[in-house]
Amino acid sequence: MTDHALLLVNLGSPASTEVADVRSYLNQFLMDPYVVDLPWPLRRLLVSLILIRRPVQSAHAYASIWWPEGSPLIVLSKRLQEAMKGQWTQGPVELAMRYGEPSLDTVLTRLAGQGITQVTLAPLYPQFADSTTTTVIEEAKRVVRERKLPIRFSILPPFFQDPDYIEALADSARPYLEKDFDHLLLSFHGLPERHLRKLDATNHCLRGPDCCRTASPEVLATCYRAQCMRSAEAFATRMGLRPEQWSVSFQSRLGRDKWIEPYTEARLDELAAQGVKKLLVMCPAFVADCIETLEEIGDRGREQFVEAGGESLELVPCLNDHPSWVAALKRLCERAPQSV
């Protein structure tokens, strides 16, 4: 055993489906300034209003997909952790959540107590966003700084078009694409447009219908939508899909702000109206199935599509602990650069 640990980090989950636990989780999540990017007083007011009704609705949604072992996201992330223990030979493999437990604070403090001085930090998000990648990195650095822990980081960068990631997606999805289907919808998590624009120093982000395909390296480095499009195009090319066989959309809108388009809800109705009967849906922004995939797409999305005239919607599972993903993640983490 050496002193170089691997720390996998995912979003997190409520401790249970009880309303009080869901409220506590949502409060921590939504009060993150990288998620709701408003000044603290406005953020506090907005989140307090959201927490009046949202926890009850979300608790019901969580209960509909909760497993006997607990939250699907947590259970699947732990399975990935166990699989990675057989791959990462440089030290321990730990798992933390940005919100909820196990927290980054708890895990990093424990690693330092074990004499660990080097940690490869692996935010499990293929595409970059402040509300996912940045907040994980900044929270990890905050813990190390404030706890005065002797830990240095190597940080896994976004891997949205890395061949290992695309190959893992292809391997995990292939059994589903070999079935009879009419269309594949690649549904990514959405973001408010302002989250993308504020990171764009070139003023070219979200400028025209083809801006994502023609994005410069500078824009691509921080443009979540462009990275999603690159992931989708690389996957479709790898699977030999024709342009008419697949499309991209963005789900999980919250609030009244303008979010990146096209919206998944609208796309489901459009596809049904176009005569699509057998629809496959993949969610490549997530590496583990969670409420956004299992409930939002697998339950509500399926119901909406069938009510709009479709016959079936099949959710393609996320990468979870698929062997190809485990092998790919090992290679990705081994290449992670040392943080300055």
Side-chain angles (χ1 to χ4, degrees):
M1 181 74 69
T2 68
D3 64 351
H4 189 156
L6 173 61
L7 177 52
L8 309 175
V9 187
N10 213 326
L11 186 76
S13 175
S16 76
T17 60
E18 295 296 322
V19 173
D21 285 335
V22 174
R23 178 178 287 108
S24 176
Y25 170 77
L26 289 177
N27 182 68
Q28 184 188 12
F29 172 54
L30 295 173
M31 282 304 294
D32 184 341
Y34 287 108
V35 174
V36 178
D37 56 339
L38 296 174
W40 191 92
L42 292 177
R43 185 165 72 253
R44 182 67 271 173
L45 175 60
L46 175 62
V47 172
S48 296
L49 292 173
I50 292 173
L51 293 181
I52 294 173
R53 296 182 178 179
R54 184 84 178 193
V56 175
Q57 300 168 346
S58 294
H60 178 75
Y62 276 110
S64 72
I65 55 98
W66 210 257
W67 291 351
E69 312 98 299
S71 160
L73 173 67
I74 303 294
V75 173
L76 290 166
S77 296
K78 287 181 177 178
R79 290 179 187 173
L80 177 64
Q81 177 193 8
E82 288 302 311
M84 288 300 295
K85 287 180 179 179
Q87 300 284 326
W88 186 263
T89 60
Q90 303 175 54
V93 178
E94 290 284 355
L95 173 69
M97 298 291 151
R98 176 60 185 89
Y99 314 104
E101 296 294 335
S103 70
L104 278 162
D105 195 330
T106 298
V107 175
L108 286 169
T109 301
R110 182 170 67 243
L111 285 172
Q114 296 170 359
I116 298 296
T117 59
Q118 181 70 35
V119 172
T120 289
L121 184 69
L124 295 175
Y125 308 109
Q127 299 83 23
F128 170 85
D130 268 350
S131 56
T132 52
T133 309
T134 302
T135 188
V136 165
I137 295 170
E138 292 305 313
E139 174 66 5
K141 290 181 176 179
R142 181 197 67 80
V143 169
V144 167
R145 181 176 63 252
E146 295 187 2
R147 299 286 188 190
K148 296 181 171 57
L149 305 179
I151 287 177
R152 295 167 298 155
F153 290 115
S154 297
I155 299 177
L156 175 65
F159 45 92
F160 58 97
Q161 59 184 359
D162 188 284
D164 286 330
Y165 163 66
I166 298 302
E167 193 65 28
L169 275 182
D171 287 346
S172 66
R174 187 170 288 108
Y176 296 86
L177 271 70
E178 289 175 347
K179 300 178 183 180
D180 181 29
F181 71 97
D182 297 328
H183 194 83
L184 170 67
L185 181 63
L186 297 155
S187 179
F188 293 82
H189 199 286
L191 281 178
E193 286 191 352
R194 72 172 186 276
H195 280 214
L196 279 63
R197 295 188 193 278
K198 71 180 182 182
L199 296 174
D200 176 31
T202 69
N203 202 32
H204 289 146
C205 186
L206 300 176
R207 298 290 182 181
D210 294 323
C211 66
C212 288
R213 288 187 173 86
T214 60
S216 67
E218 185 179 3
V219 172
L220 184 61
T222 60
C223 182
Y224 172 79
R225 189 179 190 276
Q227 292 187 7
C228 290
M229 292 298 186
R230 297 296 173 91
S231 295
E233 290 166 359
F235 173 79
T237 298
R238 178 65 186 85
M239 298 304 298
L241 298 176
R242 301 186 303 275
E244 67 273 13
Q245 287 184 294
W246 64 279
S247 58
V248 171
S249 63
F250 298 91
Q251 63 183 87
S252 308
R253 280 182 296 158
L254 175 66
R256 299 179 180 179
D257 290 336
K258 180 71 161 51
W259 284 48
I260 52 179
E261 296 181 304
Y263 301 142
T264 295
E265 288 181 346
R267 193 77 187 109
L268 291 174
D269 288 341
E270 291 169 0
L271 289 168
Q274 292 167 8
V276 171
K277 297 300 182 183
K278 298 178 180 179
L279 179 65
L280 291 178
V281 182
M282 285 179 65
C283 301
F286 306 93
V287 299
D289 278 303
C290 53
I291 191 170
E292 285 88 355
T293 66
L294 299 173
E295 193 273 338
E296 186 177 351
I297 300 297
D299 291 340
R300 282 189 286 134
R302 178 182 293 113
E303 181 180 354
Q304 177 190 340
F305 180 68
V306 171
E307 287 182 354
E311 291 180 0
S312 65
L313 183 157
E314 185 169 12
L315 176 65
V316 179
C318 291
L319 291 167
N320 297 326
D321 60 343
H322 191 283
S324 291
W325 169 229
V326 173
L329 184 57
K330 175 200 175 186
R331 292 191 291 269
L332 288 166
C333 290
E334 286 176 340
R335 299 195 297 264
Q338 178 79 39
S339 177
V340 178

